[in-house]
Amino acid sequence: MFSRILVANRGEIALRVIRACHDLGIEAVAVFSEADRGAPWLDVADRAICIGPALSAESYLKIPRIIAAAEVTGSQAIHPGYGFLSENSKFAEQCRASGIEFIGPPVTAMDALGNKDKSKTVAKAAKVPTVPGSDGLVETEEQARKFAHAVGYPVLIKASAGGGGRGMRVARDDDSLASGYSQARAEAEAAFKDSSVFLEKYLDRPRHVEVQLIGDQKGNVVHLFERDCSLQRRHQKLVEESPSPNLPDKVRRAMCDAAVRLAQKAGYYNAGTCEFLVDQQNNFYFIEVNARVQVEHPVTELVTGVDIIREQIRVAAGEKLSFAQKDVQQTGCAIEVRINAEDPAHDFRPSAGVVKVWRPPGGPGVRLDTHVCAGYRVPSNYDSMVAKLLVHRPTRAEAFATMRRCLREFRVEGIHTTIPILQTIFDNEAFIAGKVDTTFIERELMPKKG
Ligand code: ADP
């Protein structure tokens, strides 16, 4: 087992990983940019190293600095968290070439699954249903139009390298296809330095359901059941829960098996997520793999009792998974909400600044993953998430009651947060009945423009 791990991330996930290291008796080295100097999670680490200026490209994304930080501190492994370098196979390769273990999947699997159109090829080979789409990349607008006419509008133009909802455009006719095609390409080029796009049939009001996977280097891959992440704003998740409400057990089982099959086909190990869309007839379609730990992993930790970060570290060190598929059970209902420093009353504009009051909820069945405390300055340079609030209760109705109580209790002053919109969501009848889809928030809860 490793004795020292470098955590190549910031905020709540850095703290989460540091804690997992300490639980395993491993030292944790934190890295920070100048914008994060003095940040609270750095105190919890055994050592903290400045890796550059506020700009991510010069610090959290700067591969040579991170590897050098691991080398000078004698760290044997690097945990990338999510975002930043977590899905960068070149980073993984360079870590391993430098004799430092990258806590994540093998490079071959990252390459096979890291981009959306390639991963669909693997899915098809593993007999996992995919959304009808262009076979491979679409190189011209003419080709895009041909596909759209063949499958029928609406279609979705998707960046192959896409993430975080970027590089994605819905087209409902030839005109919006023409503009959407060039917009998606330009956005993808700007965000990912890769303008390649492909097309998919745009499903009508689907649900987003994803399967958590974990595998070891001895060929064992197990699933930890599903999470429903249908509540999204602009394709960004706001609320996640497990089990997925109203999902027939048969479909759940088939989906979990499909995810395991896909991972095995790709020779996958460590943690990953297989994302699916589920249509109104409960047909499911693979959309992508996230080859890393996800923001919403604690939802699964609560219902299964598996400490995913701990398992990630263990399997990266070459150990066998500490459980088999038959040992994994889904107990009760867990829900997570993302609390972001944003102002929902003003189109969710970011709300950086000093947190003056921070009084989080607590009590039975409540978990809060956060790096924030009173006096902390939320920098404007990074992701706006300030906390993940989770509840775990025997039933969904009880989980909702506890979540409502927690959102009422939570007091934050000094910055705006998404707590008010979350309160509205948890009072919504359709959501209470589990009848939501990925377009729900924009359709039902957003003030209509004009
Ligand atoms: P990203 O990697 O940018 O998050 P995904 O491929 O995971 O992109 O898709 C994000 C969200 O976009 C999905 O959860 C869903 O809401 C929507 N979406 C993606 N593909 C489709 C599709 N074919 N039809 C309808 N909605 C889709």
Side-chain angles (χ1 to χ4, degrees):
M1 183 39 84
F2 312 117
S3 56
R4 190 174 299 139
I5 290 175
L6 181 126
V7 185
N9 216 300
R10 63 176 302 283
E12 72 84 20
I13 192 64
L15 182 55
R16 170 75 187 88
V17 176
I18 294 167
R19 285 175 171 155
C21 290
H22 289 169
D23 283 343
L24 283 162
I26 299 169
E27 283 181 17
V29 176
V31 295
F32 62 95
S33 73
E34 278 157 18
D36 284 331
R37 186 179 296 282
W41 67 91
L42 302 173
D43 289 343
V44 185
D46 298 280
R47 208 175 148 182
I49 289 203
C50 184
I51 47 162
L55 196 68
S56 304
E58 294 298 319
S59 50
Y60 296 108
L61 289 171
K62 197 94 187 165
I63 296 178
R65 295 219 182 123
I66 290 174
I67 294 185
E71 282 171 341
V72 298
T73 54
S75 303
Q76 298 120 357
I78 296 182
H79 196 300
Y82 51 68
F84 294 125
L85 293 169
S86 60
E87 291 187 277
N88 185 322
S89 65
K90 289 205 175 62
F91 176 57
E93 202 166 5
Q94 286 179 38
C95 289
R96 289 178 183 144
S98 313
I100 297 162
E101 184 52 21
F102 171 81
I103 302 179
V107 170
T108 45
M110 290 174 90
D111 284 339
L113 301 173
N115 114 5
K116 292 178 206 232
D117 72 299
K118 274 204 231 159
S119 69
K120 284 180 88 170
T121 312
V122 181
K124 283 179 193 156
K127 301 208 165 24
V128 174
T130 57
V131 184
S134 56
D135 270 323
L137 302 177
V138 170
E139 316 272 0
T140 63
E141 195 192 305
E142 175 58 32
Q143 235 180 311
R145 211 169 19 245
K146 267 198 189 137
F147 170 82
H149 291 176
V151 301
Y153 284 110
V155 298
L156 188 63
I157 307 152
K158 265 189 179 181
S160 185
R166 281 175 302 177
M168 213 158 28
R169 287 288 184 287
V170 182
R172 301 188 181 276
D173 50 41
D174 285 357
D175 284 347
S176 58
L177 183 78
S179 55
Y181 181 75
S182 47
Q183 283 165 4
R185 284 191 86 104
E187 199 171 298
E189 179 61 38
F192 315 109
K193 294 203 184 84
D194 176 357
S195 64
S196 48
V197 296
F198 65 101
L199 260 65
E200 265 177 9
K201 173 83 191 153
Y202 184 65
L203 299 179
D204 186 30
R205 299 188 184 184
R207 282 179 288 158
H208 173 118
V209 184
E210 59 189 31
V211 177
Q212 176 70 54
L213 296 164
I214 180 108
D216 62 25
Q217 299 188 46
K218 301 176 193 300
N220 303 302
V221 181
V222 302
H223 71 77
L224 301 175
F225 293 98
E226 86 287 4
R227 295 181 287 258
D228 193 309
C229 314
S230 301
L231 271 180
Q232 307 178 346
R233 178 180 167 269
R234 299 197 175 149
H235 305 306
Q236 302 255 35
K237 299 161 188 169
L238 279 183
V239 179
E240 300 100 349
E241 61 178 302
S242 185
S244 171
N246 304 330
L247 188 73
D249 226 18
K250 209 173 125 201
V251 181
R252 171 177 294 112
R253 270 201 304 274
M255 204 186 262
C256 291
D257 289 348
V260 169
R261 246 184 0 255
L262 195 151
Q264 279 166 337
K265 193 84 190 170
Y268 201 89
Y269 58 72
N270 215 290
T273 300
C274 202
E275 296 191 332
F276 297 96
L277 294 180
V278 181
D279 71 13
Q280 288 162 18
Q281 289 73 44
N282 284 321
N283 298 306
F284 63 87
Y285 306 93
F286 166 81
I287 49 170
E288 68 165 339
V289 168
N290 285 141
R292 54 171 167 84
V293 73
Q294 280 187 292
V295 172
E296 59 271 26
H297 76 274
V299 172
T300 300
E301 295 188 320
L302 291 175
V303 289
T304 61
V306 172
D307 181 334
I308 294 172
I309 308 284
R310 178 192 187 95
E311 286 303 316
Q312 278 196 293
I313 296 171
R314 289 187 61 259
V315 299
E319 292 186 9
K320 191 168 169 259
L321 274 183
S322 62
F323 52 87
Q325 189 67 70
K326 63 173 174 28
D327 306 321
V328 183
Q329 273 171 26
Q330 201 176 23
T331 308
C333 169
I335 309 180
E336 172 181 280
V337 298
R338 299 190 188 193
I339 298 179
N340 296 338
E342 292 169 3
D343 184 359
H346 290 94
D347 202 28
F348 292 80
R349 70 174 172 216
S351 176
V354 176
V355 177
K356 298 211 174 71
V357 175
W358 183 259
R359 211 173 63 201
V366 179
R367 168 172 168 179
L368 188 74
D369 279 23
T370 184
H371 56 290
V372 174
C373 52
Y376 175 70
R377 176 185 289 279
V378 179
S380 57
N381 315 74
Y382 310 109
D383 187 87
S384 62
M385 194 172 73
V386 288
K388 305 188 300 203
L389 170 62
L390 293 112
V391 298
H392 183 215
R393 292 313 228 169
T395 64
R396 191 167 184 266
E398 289 164 285
F400 268 60
T402 302
M403 184 59 88
R404 281 193 206 97
R405 163 180 74 76
C406 287
L407 290 169
R408 239 186 357 255
E409 268 180 38
F410 211 147
R411 268 195 53 202
V412 184
E413 287 172 23
I415 55 166
H416 290 283
T417 73
T418 43
I419 292 174
I421 182 96
L422 292 168
Q423 284 179 306
T424 310
I425 290 171
F426 278 84
D427 284 334
N428 182 281
E429 292 300 327
F431 180 42
I432 294 168
K435 287 188 202 136
V436 295
D437 61 76
T438 58
T439 64
F440 175 79
I441 293 201
E442 266 118 336
R443 214 178 58 234
E444 301 289 334
L445 297 184
M446 291 294 135
K448 303 274 179 290
K449 295 243 166 70

